[in-house]
Amino acid sequence: MPRSKSAKSLLKQQLKDDKLIETGSTFCMIPWIHLHTSPTGIAAPCCIAKSCGSDEGVGNSRKQNLMEIVNSDKMKYLRLDMMEGMRNTECTNCYAHEEQGVSSFRKMVNEEFKEYYDDVINHTNPDGSLSKFKMRYFDIRFNNICNFKCRTCGSGFSTQWEQEDLKHKVPFAKIIPKNNNPEFLEDVINQIDHMKTAYFAGGEPLITEEHYILLEEMIRRKKTDIHLRYNTNLSNIKFKDKDLLSLWKHFTNRIDVYASIDHYGERAEYIRHGTDWALVESNFITVKKTPYINLQTNTVLSVFNCLTFYEFWSYLIDKDLYMPKDSTYSVYNMATPPHLTCHILPQEYKEKAKESMEKAIKLMKFKGFDQWKVKQLEDTIPWIFANNTWEQHKKEFRTETKRLDSIRGESFTKTFPELGKLIIDDRKLLWPV
């Protein structure tokens, strides 16, 4: 709904309060310095915003240019809400994390990009629109090309999963066409000179054409001080005639590579179908030894790895894949899809998950890891117990797990025996044959 004149007039005044970025409970730099688009073209303020799961988003990169989306009504209202201390539904996931004492994306972004606060003030109009947009943080997904089918993901981010859905006649299955809006791609290329950080994810970014177009344009423009970040399954470090390690040598900042690894061995291959664990581990070791790369893992905490997190973490530590001198390996407390989150675990399973996490914490402390690295695991415990949704989601969990097991020739109970009883129908548990 339209804002009153008084609300609009507050905008500049509140923006000029240099403490707002530090003390504002809803303020986030994201709507001023960033725009996210999914492989379908749906635009959102960021990759965890509510619009990511909608059919409309805040705009569409297949139909609109960059500035049309940046100054859409939804983006303007989001900025106004943040200025006035009002919660906007776009930011539900960050609010949930903060309420549980978990570090939020909002807080991390505010810390990383606070140097642009004054610039934000100068280019913000009273109606929440921007007179000039400077993309300091890049995260555009041009397509969903991916060679994996990760259980905690979906067909919207995987061409392999798309093909599987079509083959097995999943309702509403479709192929997402490549984003062929040349104006939008050109708009993004023209933002390269403003970028501080470029985050490439997917799909799988290391087999995506647009990733290499942007990377080579950054090199051509000598904008090699951009901080490159990747979320990758690390199954490929070469693409066609491109040698990625050679391209990365041009950049002056260390390259941050977050390997999407949620477990090792057969459990890794189940959670992220398409994984060849021996190959991924070999690539991991190669990249880790490369001096200009900062390699970390980005582990999604889910129902699959909650109870065996200690086994996973001790594997990484024992093989020197995670050492005290390394940067913090991140653990993302997954909120969607809801039928695969830790929240679905019945109480007795949550207690076992807590025990596993506490053993991993004890191991890290014994090995001499810094406290802020240990805190990644400590924050997961209140998250695990934050909600109880087993009764609400058990049917979907069982149905979808069995369906994918059948299609992919996998076995949940054999791969995760500690969770095996979850898949068994309640009646069979009460009256076993």
Side-chain angles (χ1 to χ4, degrees):
M1 57 183 292
R3 298 296 176 118
S4 66
K5 289 183 179 180
S6 59
K8 291 179 181 179
S9 65
L10 285 172
L11 182 64
K12 282 283 187 181
Q13 180 181 343
Q14 289 181 300
L15 271 172
K16 289 179 180 177
D17 180 0
D18 61 3
K19 294 182 180 179
L20 185 61
I21 191 171
E22 299 172 4
T23 62
S25 62
T26 65
F27 180 82
C28 178
M29 288 287 287
I30 280 290
W32 282 268
I33 62 168
H34 173 63
L35 185 76
H36 172 77
T37 66
S38 74
T40 62
I42 297 297
C46 72
C47 67
I48 61 170
K50 200 75 171 177
S51 281
C52 289
S54 75
D55 293 329
E56 296 181 357
V58 298
N60 194 309
S61 63
R62 296 176 185 272
K63 303 173 183 177
Q64 297 170 283
N65 64 40
L66 184 62
M67 284 306 293
E68 286 173 339
I69 303 173
V70 165
N71 283 330
S72 66
D73 286 344
K74 289 181 180 179
M75 289 295 289
K76 289 190 291 186
Y77 293 153
L78 175 60
R79 295 185 193 105
L80 290 170
D81 280 344
M82 288 181 173
M83 292 303 96
E84 296 169 26
M86 295 173 61
R87 287 193 167 196
N88 190 292
T89 55
E90 289 287 355
C91 309
T92 299
N93 284 330
C94 274
Y95 300 148
H97 284 154
E98 289 172 13
E99 286 166 2
Q100 295 303 322
V102 176
S103 181
S104 70
F105 186 54
R106 180 184 79 87
K107 289 185 176 180
M108 289 188 285
V109 165
N110 283 351
E111 178 62 29
E112 182 175 352
F113 296 96
K114 61 186 178 183
E115 66 194 274
Y116 301 113
Y117 189 78
D118 289 342
D119 195 54
V120 161
I121 295 173
N122 293 333
H123 293 109
T124 305
N125 300 316
D127 66 348
S129 65
L130 302 182
S131 57
K132 186 171 183 179
F133 175 65
K134 297 179 181 179
M135 185 182 285
R136 306 296 187 180
Y137 174 43
F138 164 90
D139 178 12
I140 301 292
R141 320 284 174 94
F142 290 98
N143 57 58
N144 64 334
I145 292 172
C146 187
N147 53 341
F148 281 12
K149 294 180 284 190
C150 303
R151 292 270 178 154
T152 54
C153 191
S155 59
F157 294 92
S158 169
T159 46
Q160 290 292 311
W161 202 330
E162 277 182 340
Q163 294 292 340
E164 180 181 82
D165 282 354
L166 285 171
K167 180 179 178 180
H168 294 279
K169 297 180 171 55
V170 173
F172 311 111
K174 63 180 180 180
I175 296 293
I176 298 172
K178 185 176 179 180
N179 191 343
N180 59 357
N181 181 352
E183 182 181 6
F184 186 79
L185 176 58
E186 190 63 28
D187 286 346
V188 173
I189 289 173
N190 288 333
Q191 289 287 331
I192 284 175
D193 291 335
H194 301 307
M195 292 178 190
K196 176 183 180 181
T197 300
Y199 174 59
F200 293 97
E204 171 48 39
L206 302 190
I207 57 172
T208 302
E209 296 278 1
E210 288 81 2
H211 160 247
Y212 293 94
I213 291 172
L214 287 163
L215 210 59
E216 291 179 332
E217 182 64 17
M218 291 172 186
I219 295 169
R220 189 189 70 80
R221 294 186 182 209
K222 303 189 186 311
K223 191 68 172 68
T224 53
D225 62 340
I226 295 174
H227 185 183
L228 301 181
R229 291 178 180 166
Y230 291 83
N231 197 312
T232 168
N233 60 38
L234 217 57
S235 59
N236 293 274
I237 52 178
K238 292 183 184 292
F239 177 71
K240 296 183 179 180
D241 62 340
K242 314 292 184 185
D243 184 318
L244 190 56
L245 297 183
S246 296
L247 287 171
W248 281 343
K249 280 183 180 179
H250 291 272
F251 289 82
T252 56
N253 291 310
R254 291 186 76 189
I255 314 296
D256 281 336
V257 176
Y258 303 95
S260 298
I261 297 175
D262 303 329
H263 227 299
Y264 70 94
E266 64 177 0
R267 285 176 172 160
E269 292 173 348
Y270 181 100
I271 298 170
R272 297 185 178 272
H273 182 95
T275 298
D276 175 340
W277 176 250
L279 175 61
V280 169
E281 186 175 41
S282 175
N283 286 343
F284 190 99
I285 292 168
T286 297
V287 172
K288 196 173 196 302
K289 289 179 178 178
T290 305
Y292 51 87
I293 297 174
N294 175 35
L295 178 63
Q296 305 171 53
T297 69
N298 182 22
T299 295
V300 175
L301 188 70
S302 71
V303 66
F304 297 114
N305 56 10
C306 234
L307 269 65
T308 55
F309 202 89
Y310 167 72
E311 287 86 341
F312 171 43
W313 228 237
S314 61
Y315 178 92
L316 296 180
I317 292 171
D318 289 347
K319 296 200 72 173
D320 291 335
L321 301 178
Y322 188 20
M323 295 182 283
K325 66 179 182 180
D326 292 335
S327 297
T328 307
Y329 282 19
S330 64
V331 180
Y332 178 68
N333 297 293
M334 186 188 75
T336 58
H339 70 282
L340 295 179
T341 71
C342 299
H343 297 157
I344 73 160
L345 290 169
Q347 187 67 21
E348 63 269 27
Y349 287 83
K350 288 183 178 180
E351 294 295 340
K352 292 177 181 177
K354 179 183 177 183
E355 289 175 13
S356 180
M357 201 62 68
E358 287 175 340
K359 284 180 68 177
I361 290 168
K362 186 176 180 180
L363 175 64
M364 291 186 75
K365 290 180 176 179
F366 176 75
K367 292 289 186 177
F369 283 82
D370 292 320
Q371 176 54 35
W372 64 83
K373 296 173 183 175
V374 177
K375 191 175 186 302
Q376 283 281 310
L377 305 194
E378 291 176 338
D379 284 347
T380 67
I381 295 175
W383 176 258
I384 291 168
F385 289 89
N387 208 347
N388 298 301
T389 62
W390 174 242
E391 292 302 322
Q392 182 181 353
H393 293 297
K394 66 181 179 182
K395 182 178 179 181
E396 184 180 6
F397 166 74
R398 288 169 174 165
T399 301
E400 189 63 6
T401 299
K402 290 176 182 177
R403 184 184 76 84
L404 292 177
D405 275 2
S406 175
I407 290 171
R408 299 177 183 178
E410 296 173 335
S411 172
F412 175 81
T413 54
K414 288 181 180 179
T415 310
F416 307 98
E418 70 282 356
L419 296 168
K421 288 186 178 179
L422 292 181
I423 207 72
I424 302 173
D425 185 270
D426 294 345
R427 289 170 294 182
K428 290 184 179 179
L429 288 173
L430 290 171
W431 298 289
V433 176

